[in-house]
């Protein structure tokens, strides 16, 4: 089969690989129809995530058709069209039984601090991902769901990670009616977090980025006010001014490990790999939120330490909330919101790229060419 | 002003927001949100029909964190450890917990050893690494490279110039060393 493979930092190609096989009675093999490149895939692509091995196939956002099932699978059959959450989880461990699906303890021998994620390095369990013609899907009775007949394929794809993560980020903010919510990052997850903040009753939603085309999308897609941080000497002071010097009630970090805005932080983290991530957006969040406010972190960071301003967070009495999103917990409500017309996640898709040109797809997304917001990979086995 | 007890700015009214934003407030009740409360014990909800999943076969000694009591029932089987990078990875897992910087720094170093070794080995195959196609840089000719960057005020342009050095620098350095040794060797042979 054809699959994307990692060849080292900034290099990927399509190779012929062995088709995955059933390795556990509750596995399924899914023939991928479409996949997406996530902003967090760029952390792997740039060599930031420890134990990212040459030859691994990335991709934790994908949908497809069930091709084969293991002997204990009860809920799926061959030919079912399924959407697969980015979390790999057993459904029965201490954490899964309490709804913390992204923190499953039974799927990742490499680390206890993170659950299993498709195609996201051995630090997340060593599973190949879905930027490929076929993918092994563990716990087929737990993770995947049959795509409802009414649902658009691109909407289903956005539901595997980006939309639920943004929606979850807004929930972590504990937004109450009338709150001012600031979202750092106007990528897919930030756009969805901004949109979701309105659903939870925000009185004002502000999105901050340095890419003007993404801020334009934040205005049109998420009805948000926008600030381009490169236009201000100090974006934190600007946030204080625009909130009457109080600070925002809730700030969401939807940027993560490769944040820009401070050259030293960015270079030590993203280029020299001396930090787990560049915490510029997180530090701006801590400084922009009001005392007693909440900072929600859904941007992805590596496991190494990062230079975070915990002193300010402590002195301000902040609540810091964060996690990888337990995707399937969000689905029933998000299905409703899509059916009711409150959310149209596929509106953020900007590029469609055949699997054989995936190296160009990574470069376009990484270099922010051509106003790229969300690239979808068309897999030829579709 | 926050210097008095009042909130400095009042948000628009709910009616105004509802009219302006489709779906405003449909998830207004914090108690009625999908991830609230954070932990909700309901194992019947997940679709799992086991207390402990069956154990997946371990076809090679699977590296694992020493913070785990046992090998997890299910695990990924992509790219087993091999060669020097594999030995470094196994050592990092065997010796250091996730709490130790050494664990992660060895793994990052192993990634670089893996990449370098894989590049070199690829030149002995019919499918050698090709930095032009594998970096996707050809898309620069077709996807508006100038208008995507010029007069855009992009913060990342301050450091993007480093990327070609990070990708190509080690190869230029290695090539220069080989060239230097080669030239010296040829010169010595000529003298003799």
């Amino acid at each position: 089969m054809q699959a994307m493979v990692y060849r080292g930092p900034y290099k990927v190609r399509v190779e012929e690989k062995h088709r995955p096989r059933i390795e556990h009675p509750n596995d399924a093999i899914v023939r991928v129809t479409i996949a997406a490149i996530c902003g967090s895939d760029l952390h792997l692509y740039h060599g930031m995530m420890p134990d990212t091995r040459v030859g691994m196939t990335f991709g934790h956002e994908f949908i497809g058709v069930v091709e084969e099932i293991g002997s204990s699978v009860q809920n799926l059959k061959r030919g079912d069209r399924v959407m697969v959450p980015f979390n790999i989880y057993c459904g029965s461990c201490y954490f899964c039984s309490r709804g913390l699906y992204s923190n499953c303890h039974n799927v990742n021998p490499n680390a206890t601090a993170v659950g299993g994620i498709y195609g996201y390095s051995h630090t997340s369990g060593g599973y190949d991902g879905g930027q490929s013609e076929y993918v092994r899907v563990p716990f087929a009775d737990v993770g995947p769901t049959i795509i409802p007949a009414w649902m658009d394929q691109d909407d289903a794809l956005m539901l595997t990670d980006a939309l639920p993560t943004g929606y979850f980020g807004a929930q972590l903010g504990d937004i109450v009616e009338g709150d001012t919510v600031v979202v750092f990052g106007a990528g897919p997850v930030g756009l969805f977090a901004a949109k979701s903040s309105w659903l939870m009753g925000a009185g004002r939603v502000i999105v901050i980025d340095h890419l003007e085309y993404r801020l334009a999308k934040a205005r049109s897609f998420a009805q948000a006010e926008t600030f381009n941080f490169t236009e201000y000497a100090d974006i934190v002071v600007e946030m204080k001014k625009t909130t009457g010097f109080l600070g925002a009630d809730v700030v969401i970090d939807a940027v993560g490990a490769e944040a820009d805005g401070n050259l030293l932080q960015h270079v030590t983290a993203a280029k020299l790999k001396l930090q787990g991530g560049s915490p510029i957006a997180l530090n701006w969040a801590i400084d922009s939120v009001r005392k007693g406010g909440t900072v929600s972190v859904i941007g992805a960071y590596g496991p190494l330490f990062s230079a975070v301003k915990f002193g300010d967070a402590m002195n301000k009495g902040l609540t810091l909330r964060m996690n990888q999103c337990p995707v399937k917990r969000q689905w029933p409500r998000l299905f409703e919101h899509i059916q009711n017309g409150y959310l149209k996640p596929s509106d953020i898709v900007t590029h469609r790229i055949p699997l054989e040109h995936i190296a160009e797809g990574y470069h376009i997304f990484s270099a922010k060419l051509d106003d790229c917001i969300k690239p979808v990979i068309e897999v030829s086995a579709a | 002003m926050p210097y008095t007890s009042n909130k400095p700015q009042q948000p628009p009214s709910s009616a105004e927001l509802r009219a302006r934003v489709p779906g405003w407030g449909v998830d207004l009740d914090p108690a009625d949100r999908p991830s609230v409360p954070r932990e909700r014990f309901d194992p019947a909800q997940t679709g799992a029909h086991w207390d402990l999943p069956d154990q997946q076969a371990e076809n090679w000694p699977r590296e694992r964190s020493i913070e785990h009591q046992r090998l997890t029932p299910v695990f990924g089987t992509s790219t087993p450890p091999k060669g020097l990078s594999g030995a470094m990875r196994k050592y990092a897992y065997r010796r250091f917990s996730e709490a130790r910087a050494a664990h992660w720094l060895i793994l990052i170093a192993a990634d670089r050893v893996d990449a370098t070794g894989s590049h070199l080995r690829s030149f002995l195959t019919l499918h050698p690494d090709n930095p032009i196609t594998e970096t996707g840089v050809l898309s620069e000719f077709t996807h508006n490279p100038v208008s995507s960057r010029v007069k855009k005020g992009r913060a990342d342009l301050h450091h993007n110039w480093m990327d070609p050095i990070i990708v190509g620098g080690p190869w230029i350095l290695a090539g220069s060393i080989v060239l230097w040794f080669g030239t010296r060797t040829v010169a010595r042979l000529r003298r003799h």
Side-chain angles (χ1 to χ4, degrees):
Chain A
M1 67 162 188
Q2 297 275 296
M4 165 272 178
V5 294
Y6 175 68
R7 293 297 305 169
Y10 296 82
K11 289 185 284 297
V12 300
R13 72 185 183 191
V14 174
E15 275 183 13
E16 197 64 34
K17 284 180 84 166
H18 290 300
R19 218 174 107 166
R21 57 183 184 81
I22 300 286
E23 300 188 58
H24 181 273
N26 210 249
D27 279 358
I29 304 300
V30 168
R31 175 167 57 85
V32 178
T33 52
I34 49 175
I37 305 177
C38 176
S40 59
D41 285 329
L42 296 180
H43 308 330
L44 299 174
Y45 177 67
H46 294 148
M48 289 188 71
M49 193 60 66
D51 210 355
T52 302
R53 302 183 186 177
V54 171
M56 180 173 236
T57 298
F58 299 166
H60 54 269
E61 299 183 1
F62 60 90
I63 63 171
V65 179
V66 175
E67 188 74 12
E68 191 182 346
I69 53 172
S71 58
S72 79
V73 175
Q74 301 174 357
N75 299 337
L76 294 179
K77 62 181 187 310
R78 191 168 188 272
D80 282 342
R81 292 166 56 249
V82 289
M83 47 205 286
V84 183
F86 78 84
N87 323 114
I88 299 169
Y89 64 106
C90 73
S92 62
C93 68
Y94 179 92
F95 304 100
C96 287
S97 60
R98 287 161 175 78
L100 299 174
Y101 307 149
S102 51
N103 308 109
C104 178
H105 213 59
N106 275 337
V107 290
N108 182 2
N110 298 77
T112 55
V114 61
I117 302 176
Y118 293 95
Y120 210 74
S121 84
H122 275 67
T123 297
S124 301
Y127 298 87
D128 274 326
Q131 290 165 8
S132 167
E133 288 183 321
Y134 295 91
V135 60
R136 172 192 171 209
V137 173
F139 296 115
D141 282 333
V142 176
T145 287
I146 294 174
I147 301 172
W150 54 266
M151 189 178 282
D152 176 85
Q153 297 298 290
D154 284 357
D155 285 341
L157 181 62
M158 295 302 110
L159 277 161
T160 60
D161 178 0
L163 174 59
T165 296
Y167 183 72
F168 179 66
Q171 286 176 82
L172 291 178
D174 285 332
I175 296 166
V176 298
E177 185 170 354
D179 271 355
T180 295
V181 179
V182 170
V183 180
F184 280 98
V189 168
L191 292 170
F192 289 137
K195 189 80 179 168
S196 302
S197 298
W198 291 122
L199 304 184
M200 292 170 208
R204 200 177 167 198
V205 178
I206 298 168
V207 175
I208 298 171
D209 203 295
H210 66 109
L211 298 167
E212 197 47 54
Y213 73 91
R214 291 190 172 194
L215 291 172
K217 190 71 175 179
R219 292 189 289 272
S220 63
F221 174 82
Q223 296 86 36
E225 297 169 54
T226 60
F227 285 75
N228 185 329
F229 69 76
T230 64
E231 294 173 4
Y232 302 95
D234 188 331
I235 193 65
V236 170
V237 173
E238 214 56 37
M239 287 303 99
K240 294 288 169 66
K241 283 182 187 169
T242 195
T243 55
F245 288 90
L246 180 70
D249 300 294
V250 176
V251 182
I252 300 172
D253 169 7
V255 182
E258 294 186 71
D260 268 302
N262 177 310
L263 195 61
L264 179 68
Q265 288 269 30
H266 184 91
V267 169
T268 53
K271 308 296 185 199
L272 302 177
K273 333 294 185 200
L274 298 174
Q275 299 191 65
S278 154
I280 302 164
L282 180 52
N283 286 338
W284 281 346
I286 288 169
D287 286 328
S288 299
V289 74
R290 69 168 168 83
K291 282 176 260 194
T294 300
V295 172
S296 156
V297 185
I298 44 173
Y301 290 84
L304 259 183
F305 36 73
S306 299
V308 178
K309 298 183 69 180
F310 272 111
D312 282 356
M314 187 273 179
N315 286 326
K316 292 176 76 170
L318 303 185
T319 300
L320 304 181
R321 299 198 61 198
M322 61 208 85
N323 202 349
Q324 295 278 358
C325 173
V327 168
K328 206 168 172 182
R329 225 170 132 171
Q330 323 305 319
W331 276 355
R333 186 68 58 87
L334 290 173
F335 285 15
E336 281 175 29
H337 290 343
I338 291 171
Q339 272 196 302
N340 290 330
Y342 303 145
L343 295 169
K344 182 61 182 158
S346 55
D347 278 354
I348 67 157
V349 174
T350 52
H351 289 68
R352 308 191 80 83
I353 294 156
L355 177 63
E356 56 267 32
H357 293 149
I358 197 164
E360 281 90 339
Y362 268 90
H363 182 76
I364 292 164
F365 193 33
S366 169
K368 310 290 181 285
L369 298 182
D370 211 18
D371 292 355
C372 185
I373 295 176
K374 189 68 174 176
V376 168
I377 306 300
E378 304 270 12
V379 180
S380 53
Chain B
M1 298 282 280
Y3 305 97
T4 66
S5 62
N6 296 322
K7 193 167 184 178
Q9 297 165 334
Q10 288 307 311
S13 72
S14 303
E16 207 178 316
L17 287 164
R18 240 179 226 115
R20 183 155 63 87
V21 183
W24 182 87
V26 292
D27 291 320
L28 200 55
D29 179 4
D32 183 33
R33 293 173 185 165
S35 283
V36 177
R38 179 174 60 180
E39 295 188 23
R40 189 172 47 205
F41 186 75
D42 190 5
Q45 179 71 29
T46 66
H49 41 86
W50 47 79
D51 288 328
L52 179 67
D54 292 333
Q55 179 64 51
Q56 179 182 331
E58 185 182 13
N59 293 327
W60 68 85
R62 183 63 165 78
E63 63 281 9
R64 66 179 170 90
S65 166
I66 56 174
E67 293 179 47
H68 264 303
Q69 185 181 22
R70 50 164 283 179
L71 180 64
T72 54
V74 166
F75 49 86
T77 51
S78 172
T79 50
K82 61 178 192 306
L84 176 59
S85 64
M88 293 168 71
R89 284 167 173 144
K90 285 185 215 168
Y91 177 72
Y93 283 108
R94 192 174 59 241
R95 177 71 182 79
F96 299 106
S97 78
E98 298 159 59
R100 304 282 295 276
H103 176 84
W104 302 110
L105 292 170
I106 293 170
L107 289 175
I108 290 173
D111 290 347
R112 300 297 166 267
V113 170
D114 186 12
T116 307
S118 297
H119 290 323
L120 293 174
R121 278 192 301 278
S122 80
F123 295 125
L124 304 174
T125 70
L126 295 173
H127 195 185
D129 278 314
N130 180 338
I132 305 294
T133 56
E134 290 176 9
T135 54
V137 74
L138 292 174
S139 59
E140 289 283 345
F141 296 109
T142 53
H143 286 78
N144 304 311
V146 178
S147 62
S148 296
R149 294 186 173 100
V150 174
K151 293 186 180 166
K152 297 290 185 188
R154 289 173 44 167
D156 56 332
L157 298 183
H158 297 303
H159 55 74
N160 279 354
W161 59 268
M162 296 178 194
D163 294 346
I165 297 172
I166 290 169
V167 178
W171 294 100
I172 293 167
L173 183 67
S176 305
I177 292 169
V178 168
L179 189 67
W180 182 73
F181 266 113
T183 322
R184 269 188 58 153
T185 308
V186 169
R188 264 191 201 160
L189 288 173
R190 278 191 182 151
R191 273 203 299 274
H192 295 296

